[in-house]
Every structure is written in structure tokens, then in C-alpha cells.
Amino acid sequence: MICPNVMNKTFENNSWIKKVIPEIIPPSLSDNTADIDRLIKGIENSLKADGLNLDLCFLKSLPKLLSRYHYQVEAVLFENNASWHLIDVQPHQDGNSVYGLAVDLGSSTVVFRLLDLTNGLIKDEISFHNPQIEIGADILTRIHYASQEGGLDELHDLVINRFNEEIDRLTKKHSLVPGSIMGMVVAGNTTMTHFFLGLDPYRICREPYIPVINRPQIIKARELKLVINPEAPVLVFPNVGSYFGGDLIAGILSSGMFARDEVSFLIDVGTNAEVVIGNRDWLMACAGAAGPALEGGVAGMGMMAGPGVIDQVAIDPHTLEFKVRTIEGLSPVGICGSGLIDLVAQLFLAGMIDLMAKYVKARCGDRLIEIDGIKTLVVVPSEASGTGQSLTLSQPDIDALIRSKAAMYTILTTISNTVNMPLEEIDRFYVAGTFGTYIDPRSAITLGMIPDRPLETYVPLGNTSLEGATMVLLSSKARDDIYQIRDQITYIELNVNQEFMNLFSAARFLPHTDRSLFPSVKEWV
Amino acid sequence: MICPNVMNKTFENNSWIKKVIPEIIPPSLSDNTADIDRLIKGIENSLKADGLNLDLCFLKSLPKLLSRYHYQVEAVLFENNASWHLIDVQPHQDGNSVYGLAVDLGSSTVVFRLLDLTNGLIKDEISFHNPQIEIGADILTRIHYASQEGGLDELHDLVINRFNEEIDRLTKKHSLVPGSIMGMVVAGNTTMTHFFLGLDPYRICREPYIPVINRPQIIKARELKLVINPEAPVLVFPNVGSYFGGDLIAGILSSGMFARDEVSFLIDVGTNAEVVIGNRDWLMACAGAAGPALEGGVAGMGMMAGPGVIDQVAIDPHTLEFKVRTIEGLSPVGICGSGLIDLVAQLFLAGMIDLMAKYVKARCGDRLIEIDGIKTLVVVPSEASGTGQSLTLSQPDIDALIRSKAAMYTILTTISNTVNMPLEEIDRFYVAGTFGTYIDPRSAITLGMIPDRPLETYVPLGNTSLEGATMVLLSSKARDDIYQIRDQITYIELNVNQEFMNLFSAARFLPHTDRSLFPSVKEWV
């Protein structure tokens, strides 16, 4: 498997955030150029560029600093729209570092990656829950809350304050001053980035479903009250629309699919199934509700990945013995999305559910019970469970997963039909997010969720938002790429017509009504 | 006489501050571009330019406004370094005006000119004392005060607060909202513009005599806490150095000398005598202390122009009768700089002072008295005066004026020697400031202050700071010109050597020791 990761490459400092050591001749009676103009000239010479911009605050503080350090200083700058802006000036000494923060702004989890911009190395990585969860776990609740008096400000402040707390902790841990963080790049979905910027996502979920902005400009940290260097640029990924955010653009960027000659797919599954197909010449995208089944949010025993959560399941088709693997090997307390897919695939291969994903009583035996008249399978009996109660999977839990997998496959089929590019001709499917990292593609194929292609066709990308944000922080080229990707994407509205519904119905079987599409799936007969 | 004034020309809207009416198609299900991107696109199409910048605050307010006005809006923008910035968006309706404020920031007097930027017309003009006078009338006192704890902030706040009071009064008078003022251009000397920007002028008067900045960048009004449109650009004229400020660059701009083929002089006399010589190819400048005699600040009866102040004097050489003209025809209360030059020139022509500018007792008769042993001339007896006391001119008052006039003439001679361009070959002397407007060049020639050239050689320019600021506010070309002028000027340090002192000594006679230089001056013999 190929894991494209900028970190693996030799670091070349071609970032849009740069440190320079300008040559400045101190003023004298024979050269009475003003201090600031003298500094600007020195920097412009170092950059080989004209028209440096600097904020009023520098005019007040710099003359004293320049004189105190005998004009031996270094300057950190960022470039935007072909013009350079001053971030900071420090006395020149060896080993001054310049840090940047790459941020994956997820609706449930936020990840910070602290990078040394002078050598491209990762200094630290931390993650924490999005504090907006206290308002609502799902995005719609938050959008609704934002439209109430003071709601938007509260949601915005929650994020910014939490960011500042974590930045404070992170910088203290590494004995850095917050001002040494001189750039931030944030990738997230359209609603999350709107909240981050304090923008009302009101019309994101209402006709005509438009965001406030598609391409946020660079904003200085002080404008967002972020406690890093006040002049540090904060770059928020652009979005294609309300349902196609910067997280997906980060995915396309970090996959490298937009630079390949061959056509690839990018799949990102969460509450929405988001799919991109294309190559260096064209990109088409489409998104559809996949339901929350895959996020572990719905099944009775479903939960987010964490200690004791089941992430792998094997069922012996002969003995029908269950083997579960849990995170950190603790007694099982629940199951995450990838575990759930494994479980249902294994149930199918063991003949415990049929083609229509219904429990087969004869094969399930005692494990199958009824709770309030609903057929429910005991996956882990209470005596083996970490909660003291049995972990169970109900028929409706399975039905929800089947709807999700059918939606995924239907979307893939639809988009491949639209561009007239059969699924079996695609030689690479990049799989973004936790789903891609932990899921066993074999199980997803067994369920008929993804096409029956050789396993090496599937390339897990890990946290593409974080990876994409990192790339943008470290490279002008990657920074430019995201705007080009954005402009290149054609977004296809999923037309839920009769044809779509037919495809969807066919995809609700295991693995599919057309068995010839999944030759490798050998279920228990 | 030619009076170059941008107001006399037909107005062409080629300002760097512009109003456009963008064509915006409202969003729909088939076109889900975000509101802000939609607006930006519309504006960029109108401007035929790319890369519009807009502040975070607009992202929050604009979506509601766009939707409320059905996307029928107009936008005001400014251009800086080839990129455009949004100032404001308003509902589109006929007759929305966009105003600008041209400011002459003098150390004693501030003048505001309110301009309608859509047609270039002057809406109003007001003047008021620079509130920093309460700290100190002269600049050095203020620079010294600025270096004390809190002093700089106080001087800065005094100006900004007074600006805001006057803006409030001005906008109320014309029933405008302060936000309709969408641009400000400020011309002043280097120290005044430093105070305006809140910058410490500490080293302006200390070795190596450098300002903080030569070319201030555009600053937004909100950053200076100016209560006009918060996003309005505030352009502060650049300076050449500590002693050659934006006021002089405004003078060069409004004279048009930098665009002429022929070489001209620009003369500005205040406490300093500032002189520029050059044409479209080169500009040389020089400044020297002329003493405050010409500002009416020193002579016992001297005062700034105002009601009852003598601005013209005639003495009948036969009857020795004095005729004085006062401003508004009131009883005389004092004399201003131009009146003083008239008075001393007339005293010389009437033989009441001699070649060395000493009182001639035989001609002065009873008018000449002694006060504390100092020879003093009664110009206006107490019974004719508006103060109830006689208005008098002492021998030291005259001596101070003579030093000033000698300094002026010596500077002109020195610079003309330096560039090897005899004074009699210069066909135009632009005379800036109040001095230029009110003084009788005949009297200045009589004193030997300026060369003995035909009177039409002298072109008064009036308030060139205000005129220059107006031009910059109304024209991109003029805006670009001031930076070009700045870069083109060679500043000559006046080398006070033996040759200079010889020239100075020769110039202390009336009109000069070399009478052949002033053939037109026919004094009483």
C-alpha cells in the first residue's frame, strides 16, 4: 500500500511562510533612510521581491528593537497573492525556530500538529474533542443553535477558547512562547470552518444551500483572537459548497489524485458518503447521506474508537465461535465503525444473516434473542463484557448499516455511470479518514459496500485533513494546489430519481443482487 | 499668474477609491456559489481586476445585507499596490455619494477639505488649531514631550480626538453619516505625520536624524481609531527625511514642477526655509532654519493672520504717512508675516531704515522712541490701534527679519550654485503656503529676500498641502506621483561653511551688498 505523506519527502523550504536574515546597514549621517524603510529594503533584497506589507504595530515597536540589536535581526514573513507580509522580527541568533500549526477541525475531534517550519519536522501532535459537542453532537443541531440569539458567538467562542487553551498547554509543554507559532492552516468541513470564522451557517442547510464564503482569505491570528503570534496568517481551506468542504479538498490534495494521469476514486465515509473521481485534468465530486451507521453512532453497542472498543471480529464458519479484538486488548465495551463492518461481514460469511441481511435463526442459535419483539444477537455475553451487560446487535442496527453500504455503493455506481468509467477500470481507490485506516477492505467488499477489486486497489490515507493542512503549511505549491483543486471540481447533485432508487434497491442485498459483480465473495452456503 | 489647481480641471474619475455597481445573480439551487464569492466575482468583473481583499467583518455582515437587498448593491473599494480592497457595500440607489477628506496637518493649523469623490467637488472646508499647541507651540517642545512617559500617546490622542470631533461636526452639518467618508489623505511635515500615526519622532531631532518611516503604507481608519468608515484607507504622505516632509512633497505635486521640462524653484517659508529646484528629470531639495520671524511669531506686534491683523503697509516717501490695511478692515491689532515684509520694505524705500536695516533717526522723527534703551518705531499709535496700545516694531524685530530673509536668499544662492543654474535663468518660482498667497513679491524683492525677477516669475500656490492631498485623493496618477517624487528628490545637506557664511553676510544688507543683483529696487536716497 502506498501512503502519500509529505513527511516522507526530503524537506525543501518552499513554504509561503519564510524566515530571512536581512542585511541592514545601520543609519548614519550620510544615510538617513528611516528605520522601517531600511528594514523593508533589507527584507525585500533577501526575498528578491517588492512591496512588503507591515502592520502599524510594527512601526511603533521596531525602531527601538532594531537599534537595540544593532540591526542584526531576522524576519519571518508570509506570502499571499504574490505580496509579502511581515509576521515578526527577532534578534538574530542561531536556532530560532518558526512553528506552524496544522489543524484538522472535525465536528467530533480536533487534531493539532505542531510543525517546525524551518525543517518540516513534526514536533508534537495532540487531539481533543470539539467543544461544540456540548451544544450538539450533530452538525444540524449546532446550525440550529447558531440561529438563536447569541448562539453563533457562543459556538465560535467555544472553538476559539478551546484552541487557545490547547495552544497554551502545547507551547508550555515544549517551552515555547505562543508567538513562535507563526502560521496556522485549518481543514474542516464547511460548517466547522464557518463556526471557526464566526460565520453564520444558516443557509448551509436551507435553500439554496449556500455557505457564506467558498474561499476564505488569509486572516491574521489577532483578528480571530487566537493566542499565537498576532500577525500569524491563518489559512482556512476553501470549500466547494455546503456539502463539500475543505476536509475533502485536503483529502484530494493528500491523495495526489489530482496530479495523476490515471483516474482514481477518493472515498470518505462519515455521516455523509463523499466521493471524488478524476485525475490531473478533471475532478467530479458527489456526496450523499450514508447515515451515521458507519460512525458507530447508531448501533446499540456502537461507539467511537477508544480503549475496549471492538475493532476486529472473526467468526469461525464451522464452530460459529466469535473472536473479537479490542483496542488496547481490554474487555469489550462497544464496537466502532470498522468493527461493525467486520462483524456484519463475518455474520454473512458464517450464514448467520442471509442475502437480505436478516438473521438466520437456524445458524444463530442461542445467540439470537428477542428484546421488545426485536431480533437481537448477543455478540458478547455479559460475563465477557467490560460493561457488565451483554453487547448486542439488533436487526434494525444491521438494516441501518445495510442502508449505509447501499448508499455508498450506489453513489459509486452513479458517479461512475455519469462519467462513463466502469468501476472495474479504476485502479485506485483512496480511502480517507478513520474508516480508511481501520477498516478491512475485505469486509467492506464482502458487504458489497465497495467494488470487488484487488485489495491493493484500496489505499488508506489516514487523517487526510491533518495531512492536507500539513502540506499546505509547508509548501507554497500545495497552498496553490488547493485553490486549483477547488476550482477544478465539478460537483454533481445526486439526483434521487427512479434509476438511483433501482440501483439503491439492488445494492441493499449482500453483497448485491448481481452476484457477478462480487466474484470474490464466497459466503457460507 | 498661473494657479495650478486640480479643481479647475474637468473631473475624471480615475481615483484609487472607486464605487462600482456589481452585477450579481442571486443564488439558486443550480448556482450555489457562496454569497461572498458571488459578490467578489461581481466586483472583480466590474473592476476588470482579480484578487479583491475584504476584511473578516464583511463576511459576518454581508450575507444578510445581500439577501435583504436582493443582491442589488454597490460597493466602494480602494486600490493599493495593484490590489483592490473593499471599503463598504450599500444598497444600490441613485445618488449615494462617497466622500473623502483631504487634510493639511500643520503644526499650528489643520485644514479639512471634504470632497465628493464621485464628482470631485468640494463640499466644505474647515480649519482649526492643531490641538498639540497646548503642549507646545514649536515642534521641538512636542518631540521632547513625546519622549516622556505617556507623552507620545497623549500627543497622538490629542490629534485623533480632535480630528474625530471635527469630523463629527462636519458630517452632522451636512447630514452625512461618518461612514460615508471613505478615504482620507494627510499631508504634513515628518514630525506631524509621526504624531498622527502614533510614532515616536525621538530621533528626528537627534543623530542620525532619522524618522521611523519614510513611506507609511495605507492604514485603515479603524486602526487609527478615526471615526470615518472603519475600512476607509488613510494615506499619509511619504517624507524624504526628518526635515523634508510630506507637506513639501505635496507642494512639489501641486506645483506641477516635477512634470515640466524647464527648471523651476519651489519655495516654502515657515520656521524653516525649504527650497526645491528641478524639473521632470531631477529634483534637489534643501532646507535651512529661517527663523520664526516670517511667521509673525516673534516681532512684538507679530501675530498669525486674523481679523484686525495688518497684512499690507504703504509709506508715502514724501509725507512719510503710513497706510495700513487690516484683515476685515478692523482697527489694527497686530501684523502678520506678509504685513511685516511689506512694512520693512516700505521703511527701507522711505529711507527710514538704511542699507544695514538700522533705523534712520532723521527720517523716522517722532515715530522713533526708545523702550528700555531699544530703538522702537511706533507703527500705529495707541489712539488708532484696536488694542488701545500702540503697535511698535523694535530694531531687534527688524534684525530677526533680516536674518530670515538673508537665510532664504543664501539658501537659494547656494542651491543654484550647487546645480550650476544661475537664479536669473530660472523662469518660475512657485511660492507655497500663506507666505506665497499674501506676500507682495515686490516687497520681498525689495528686501533682497528673493531674486529680482519679473513679478510674473513668482507663482503663489496657496495651501499646497491641502491642494496636494486633494489631488492624491482624487487621482491614482497623483497618488503614484508622490512616491515617484519622493524617490526622485536628492536632499542636499546645507553645509554651513565659510562660503555659506560669506554669502549669508552679504545677504544681510538691503537688498544686498551686490546692488547689481537687484536693479529694480529704487530706494529713497
Side-chain angles (χ1 to χ4, degrees), chain A residues 27-29 31-38 40 51-57 59-60 63-64 67 71 80-81 153 156 197-200 203 207-217 219 222-224 239-242 486 491 493, chain B residues 27-29 31-38 40 51-57 59-60 63-64 67 71 80-81 153 156 197-200 203 207-217 219 222-224 239-242 486 491 493:
Chain A
S28 65
L29 284 176
D31 176 6
N32 67 348
T33 302
D35 270 339
I36 298 291
D37 299 69
R38 193 174 291 275
I40 289 176
L52 176 69
N53 295 284
L54 76 188
D55 198 83
L56 184 58
C57 64
L59 306 190
K60 302 191 185 192
K64 276 196 184 109
S67 152
Y71 297 82
N80 184 33
N81 288 333
D153 287 344
H156 172 66
L197 294 170
L199 303 180
D200 193 352
R203 295 211 286 177
E207 226 181 293
Y209 307 105
I210 55 167
V212 169
I213 193 163
N214 293 132
R215 294 175 63 134
Q217 297 175 352
I219 293 164
R222 62 174 153 75
E223 294 186 72
L224 285 168
N239 62 67
V240 179
S242 292
R486 196 215 87 88
Y491 187 76
E493 280 297 330
Chain B
S28 64
L29 285 176
D31 175 8
N32 67 348
T33 302
D35 269 338
I36 298 292
D37 299 69
R38 193 174 291 275
I40 289 176
L52 177 68
N53 295 284
L54 77 186
D55 199 82
L56 184 58
C57 64
L59 307 190
K60 302 191 184 191
K64 278 197 183 107
S67 152
Y71 296 82
N80 184 34
N81 287 333
D153 287 345
H156 172 66
L197 294 170
L199 303 180
D200 194 351
R203 295 212 286 177
E207 225 180 293
Y209 307 105
I210 54 167
V212 168
I213 194 162
N214 293 133
R215 294 175 61 135
Q217 297 176 351
I219 293 163
R222 62 174 154 77
E223 294 187 72
L224 286 168
N239 62 68
V240 179
S242 291
R486 196 215 88 87
Y491 186 77
E493 281 295 332

Side-chain angles (χ1 to χ4, degrees), chain A residues 15 213 324 456:
Chain A
S15 172
I213 193 163
V324 302
E456 62 271 23

Side-chain angles (χ1 to χ4, degrees), chain A residues 410-484:
Chain A
T410 308
I411 292 167
L412 288 173
T413 314
T414 306
I415 198 167
S416 98
N417 289 349
T418 306
V419 299
N420 201 19
M421 179 83 58
L423 289 175
E424 57 272 24
E425 286 179 15
I426 310 293
D427 71 346
R428 195 161 298 168
F429 288 77
Y430 295 104
V431 192
T434 320
F435 178 81
T437 313
Y438 297 110
I439 209 165
D440 180 351
R442 189 63 258 153
S443 295
I445 291 171
T446 299
L447 293 185
M449 183 170 189
I450 54 178
D452 191 4
R453 307 274 296 134
L455 295 190
E456 62 271 23
T457 314
Y458 293 96
V459 180
L461 296 179
N463 186 337
T464 49
S465 290
L466 190 63
E467 221 38 71
T470 303
M471 291 169 74
V472 168
L473 199 50
L474 294 177
S475 147
S476 305
K477 168 78 171 59
R479 190 263 321 260
D480 296 343
D481 282 343
I482 61 173
Y483 299 103
Q484 206 194 314

